[in-house]
Amino acid sequence: MGMLTFDAIVVGAGPAGVAAALTMARGGLKVIIIERGRFAGAKNLFGGVFYTHALADVLPDYWERKPPFERPVTEQGYWMLSPDSVIRVMHKSERYRKEPADAYTVLRARFDPWFAEQAVEAGALLITRTTVTRLLKDERGRVIGVDTDRPEGSVYAPVVIIAEGVNNLLTRQAGLIASDLPPTHVALAVKEYVNLPAKELQARFGLSGPREGVAIDVFGDVTLGLPGTGFIYTNQSGISIGVGMLLSEFITHRLRPYEVLERFKNHPVVRPYLEGGEVREYGAHLIPETGYDRMPKLAGDGVMVAGDAAGMVDALHREGTNLAITAGKAAGETALAAHQQGDFSAAFLSRYRRTLEDSFVLKDMKQYRRMTDFLESSPHFMGTYVNLLNEAALRYFTAHGIPKREMEHDIIKMVRERRSFTGVAWDMLKLMRAMRG
Amino acid sequence: MHAVVAIKQVPDTSNVRIDPETGTLIREGVPAIVNPYDLHAVEAAVQLKERVGGGQVTVITMGPPKAAEALIECIEQGADRAILISDRKFGGADTLATSYVLARAIETINAELPVDIILFGKQAIDGDTAQVGPGVATRLNIPLITYAIAIEEFDLEARTAIVHRRVEQGIEVLQTSLPVLLTVEKEIAPVRHAPLPRLIAAARYQPEVWSATAPVVFDPQQIGLKGSPTVVGKAFTPEQRSGGEVISVADLGLNAVVARALAVIEQAHVRNLQPETGVVS
């Protein structure tokens, strides 16, 4: 059998890889996507909120192609959880109700195969159950293809787009990243899908029908006051509930991820929402908290990296799939241009990075470059402050026959005891700096 | 050499659950796979083709349009041609109706290119009946060898084969004329990791689709629900049997143990045993 040769190889059929393949296939390139799971998305997991703007860029008629969305997000916000209380800051607006909406809850086992199908329809070849084991390079170190775990498994192309996900072995092998991510820069998220009849779910979350949905991010006691977040998202007829924390926190505090999730599910505020629901799925996944400064080089000779493999995640705003799709599209367009010029050098492909520097992908990553370090070095936000707010609220909302002035003094005293005013001022300053980038 | 392999797409039973109210399988959300024994049947056919130096492996299945995925997986594993027999009219078929359809289909395939061997997995993991293979052999009036574990000899000139078959007491070695129908155990051939070029070819392959009326006109009385006299009265998970009485040779001595065991069996009216069959010396 002759050599298997394509115009481009994409490693991984997640959002980044599929967006790249779709862009290139529509541009007339002969593209192969190699995915190690049984189907696109088989290995993928995320919390559940998908932002549509990036999808609209890469697939303008996506709405007509009936994407398998669960519910539009029409209400969203934060819960600040103390061991026995919660402060809720929720935002609901009539303006969220237009469809296609800005954000939808999504189950990846449904969404990813649909998205991959769009690339296949555009002419890309999708090969599943096949793992890319290494990059093939020529004598000058340029990437010229990949090797897989299949017999006769070498494939050649002048450009390879790596969208292999958080376990970025090929990215490392390509020499685009120096070392493994330390546990302080990888989060571990665990998640359950709890089945509930749509009617019951809507009643519990105050939704008027299937075209409404809630996305809640939870802070505080959900992570035992440690840096990290929990989430509760409504699907068509089920709830996605999970917790994510830095790997280093699990290690330092000897926490088992499923125990943290179980604790969250049994919190008195959370439990009633799940009552009677049946756990249908349990999953765990790593999230790169790489940060702007640790990102790999995005291009080398004959190769580009996109998505989780390149650390394209904005944890603060729970964004990732939209960064991945935007980056995949940019990588695909760069590959198209490279084919036109016949130039696959690192110098030429570096225009991929420049495109991203001009987009929200790298602008946001740059702005929040200190966020992970900040949260780690400022333990009071998730613990002390959340509890303080709940305590203050309790005092504020209860009448004990105590003069209000005394109640105010009480609250101020409490703040002083748990975190001095200079401490608070210092934390706020750090927060502002972290937000400004 | 022309081999026909009949396969079935089944829910991955490691994931399947039974609806406690209706007693039916909950198929929603359960991944579909090629019945594991059938993959070994495909592999056996492909290896046989390689052994005799060429030929064709045709894979057939009766099922919904989605079953095309299962056929494509067989193409990956080395099959040359795949036929999906799919029509709403086939819906609700039991093993009788299914074996009618497959037998008629194989007759048609045989008319195009004579068939030397037909392979089935020993049973499907969703129904576990092991009836369709034997049913097809009976209808085609050809030799049947169930639980085949090896094809020792396959002689296209003499039109004979020697096949090893697993039985409770050991292994039977049988000589048969061709064509023959085998239902196979996994030992018949380990499933190989398909080469990448095959995967690429299979990804572009479209199985032929046969309906209830073309290219074969199936007898409407013998297909689907109409052709299926089987009635499922009740489906349930058998109760777990627990412990039972333990009779120890160390405590009672051998003869006393045998006598006690026989008494228990007779009391349960399981079998009427003659005393001498139970005496162990």
Side-chain angles (χ1 to χ4, degrees):
Chain A
M1 192 121 8
M3 268 184 17
L4 293 172
T5 308
F6 289 81
D7 294 332
I9 298 166
V10 175
V11 183
V18 169
L22 181 60
T23 306
M24 292 187 289
R26 289 200 163 177
L29 296 189
K30 195 178 152 204
V31 182
I32 183 172
I33 317 172
I34 305 174
E35 160 64 39
R36 77 190 163 108
R38 257 200 88 74
F39 54 89
K43 304 278 179 184
N44 299 349
L45 187 81
F46 80 152
V49 176
F50 179 86
Y51 296 94
T52 51
H53 68 90
L55 182 61
D57 271 349
V58 71
L59 200 64
D61 60 343
Y62 77 92
W63 189 245
E64 285 72 48
R65 293 167 174 269
K66 300 197 176 2
F69 292 151
E70 293 292 310
R71 284 172 185 269
V73 178
T74 53
E75 182 177 349
Q76 49 195 323
Y78 303 114
W79 285 8
M80 284 161 279
L81 213 59
S82 79
D84 63 356
S85 319
V86 66
I87 291 177
R88 293 172 173 158
V89 183
M90 297 297 293
H91 184 240
K92 187 171 187 170
S93 170
E94 284 301 302
R95 278 182 267 171
Y96 285 133
R97 292 168 66 99
K98 64 164 174 46
E99 288 205 65
D102 169 57
Y104 286 90
T105 52
V106 151
L107 298 173
R108 297 290 291 278
R110 288 189 189 141
F111 179 80
D112 288 22
W114 170 85
F115 193 31
E117 189 52 43
Q118 309 310 311
V120 171
E121 269 181 34
L125 182 69
L126 172 65
I127 296 296
T128 58
R129 292 157 293 138
T130 303
T131 304
V132 172
T133 49
R134 66 188 183 100
L135 296 167
L136 298 172
K137 296 177 184 174
D138 67 6
E139 68 287 349
R140 288 169 56 190
R142 295 177 300 198
V143 174
I144 51 163
V146 301
D147 219 352
T148 66
D149 63 346
R150 295 273 177 186
E152 303 163 56
S154 304
V155 194
Y156 297 87
V159 61
V160 175
I161 296 177
I162 302 175
E164 57 180 337
V166 61
N167 290 318
N168 51 2
L169 302 167
L170 295 174
T171 309
R172 255 180 277 165
Q173 203 214 320
L176 298 173
I177 196 166
S179 62
D180 207 349
L181 278 177
T184 48
H185 287 77
V186 188
L188 174 64
V190 284
K191 171 186 169 181
E192 281 181 8
Y193 177 85
V194 180
N195 210 38
L196 266 186
K199 280 244 167 66
E200 182 62 35
L201 178 100
Q202 283 156 204
R204 288 183 193 186
F205 286 88
L207 306 172
S208 65
R211 307 319 299 157
E212 287 192 8
V214 186
I216 305 157
D217 290 327
V218 188
F219 304 103
D221 191 57
V222 57
T223 54
L224 295 85
L226 299 165
T229 56
F231 57 85
I232 297 173
Y233 303 144
T234 56
N235 300 303
Q236 198 48 252
S237 54
I239 297 171
S240 291
I241 181 165
V243 187
M245 283 162 72
L246 288 177
L247 211 49
S248 53
E249 300 289 349
F250 284 111
I251 297 167
T252 315
H253 301 279
R254 298 178 160 277
L255 295 168
R256 291 175 212 274
Y258 63 89
E259 283 174 0
V260 177
L261 178 54
E262 208 49 42
R263 193 174 165 276
F264 177 36
K265 286 171 64 190
N266 282 304
H267 189 283
V269 167
V270 176
R271 201 170 45 216
Y273 289 93
L274 306 171
E275 204 82 64
E278 190 195 345
V279 177
R280 282 288 175 90
E281 240 179 275
Y282 177 91
H285 213 280
L286 295 174
I287 306 167
E289 304 268 343
T290 317
Y292 183 80
D293 299 307
R294 284 172 183 263
M295 280 179 83
K297 271 178 66 184
L298 298 183
D301 287 319
V303 65
M304 289 177 274
V305 197
D308 273 8
M312 292 172 181
V313 167
D314 173 359
L316 183 68
H317 300 91
R318 61 165 186 233
E319 291 179 33
T321 50
N322 53 335
L323 279 68
I325 290 174
T326 302
K329 178 172 179 269
E333 282 166 351
T334 307
L336 282 166
H339 267 280
Q340 261 169 14
Q341 299 289 317
D343 183 355
F344 303 95
S345 66
F348 186 87
L349 297 182
S350 68
R351 70 161 65 178
Y352 162 53
R353 179 167 186 121
R354 287 197 297 278
T355 309
L356 292 181
E357 292 280 5
D358 289 338
S359 79
F360 76 102
V361 175
L362 288 184
K363 282 186 174 159
D364 286 353
M365 290 207 52
K366 202 167 178 176
Q367 180 172 354
Y368 302 113
R369 70 206 292 176
R370 294 200 184 88
M371 213 57 203
T372 304
D373 292 330
F374 157 73
L375 283 175
E376 239 206 325
S377 67
S378 313
H380 296 288
F381 276 90
M382 300 298 178
T384 318
Y385 293 147
V386 169
N387 286 338
L388 263 178
L389 279 173
N390 276 282
E391 290 294 325
L394 192 68
R395 279 168 179 71
Y396 181 82
F397 287 117
T398 37
H400 286 302
I402 302 168
K404 295 292 179 249
R405 179 59 59 87
E406 274 180 42
M407 182 269 290
E408 286 163 15
H409 278 300
D410 222 32
I411 293 176
I412 289 166
K413 208 175 110 205
M414 202 170 62
V415 176
R416 274 213 176 109
E417 277 167 10
R418 300 200 188 174
R419 183 93 177 124
S420 68
F421 279 116
T422 41
V424 175
W426 183 235
D427 285 342
M428 292 305 154
L429 194 69
K430 281 209 294 192
L431 173 65
M432 274 171 60
R433 282 177 49 195
M435 296 288 285
R436 286 177 57 189
Chain B
M1 199 278 307
H2 186 196
V4 172
V5 188
I7 66 138
K8 186 180 185 187
Q9 189 182 43
V10 295
D12 186 351
T13 46
S14 54
N15 277 301
V16 89
R17 289 165 308 137
I18 290 181
D19 186 326
E21 277 165 34
T22 61
T24 52
L25 294 179
I26 304 173
R27 287 169 191 266
E28 195 193 347
V30 176
I33 56 170
V34 179
N35 181 45
Y37 297 107
D38 302 353
L39 272 182
H40 292 267
V42 172
E43 189 64 45
V46 172
Q47 286 185 16
L48 201 58
K49 177 181 132 181
E50 289 167 1
R51 209 162 99 190
V52 303
Q56 184 180 310
V57 175
T58 303
V59 184
I60 61 170
T61 192
M62 184 181 91
K66 190 179 149 57
E69 302 165 358
L71 289 173
I72 286 169
E73 199 169 330
C74 297
I75 297 287
E76 287 175 0
Q77 290 305 125
D80 304 287
R81 180 187 180 194
I83 300 164
L84 171 63
I85 306 164
S86 188
D87 198 312
R88 297 188 86 95
K89 298 190 182 92
F90 295 126
D94 66 3
T95 54
L96 190 75
T98 306
S99 48
Y100 162 73
V101 170
L102 294 181
R104 289 276 290 125
I106 292 168
E107 278 170 5
T108 309
I109 293 165
N110 184 60
E112 288 174 29
L113 179 65
V115 176
D116 303 300
I117 185 169
I118 302 162
L119 296 122
F120 280 72
K122 72 164 177 179
Q123 65 200 48
I125 58 167
D126 57 348
D128 283 332
T129 65
Q131 290 172 350
V132 175
V136 170
T138 308
R139 285 174 186 276
L140 295 176
N141 197 25
I142 59 170
L144 163 72
I145 299 175
T146 53
Y147 308 109
I149 57 169
I151 302 169
E152 188 190 307
E153 223 180 87
F154 195 77
D155 192 335
L156 282 167
E157 304 249 311
R159 304 221 42 87
T160 57
I162 296 173
V163 177
H164 294 204
R165 162 175 200 261
R166 155 123 333 126
V167 290
E168 265 181 50
Q169 298 80 7
I171 293 166
E172 273 179 7
V173 179
L174 302 168
Q175 188 176 46
T176 174
S177 59
L178 298 182
V180 62
L181 189 149
L182 309 185
T183 76
V184 305
E185 296 271 7
K186 288 184 177 177
E187 293 102 303
I188 192 94
V191 175
R192 290 175 290 190
H193 211 35
L196 190 58
R198 293 269 353 158
L199 257 72
I200 291 172
R204 295 176 173 141
Y205 184 86
Q206 298 265 355
E208 296 163 44
V209 181
W210 289 11
S211 74
T213 47
V216 182
V217 182
F218 293 98
D219 175 4
Q221 298 305 314
Q222 294 193 62
I223 63 170
L225 265 180
K226 264 191 191 163
S228 301
T230 308
V231 177
V232 179
K234 192 179 164 193
F236 60 95
T237 314
E239 265 178 55
Q240 286 276 345
R241 291 188 191 188
S242 58
E245 188 183 348
V246 177
I247 323 164
S248 161
V249 176
D251 296 344
L252 302 176
L254 185 59
N255 282 336
V257 167
V258 172
R260 174 82 191 115
L262 286 173
V264 171
I265 292 166
E266 268 184 49
Q267 213 177 0
H269 302 288
V270 177
R271 267 172 90 176
N272 216 356
L273 293 171
Q274 298 299 318
E276 56 265 42
T277 56
V279 174
V280 181
S281 55

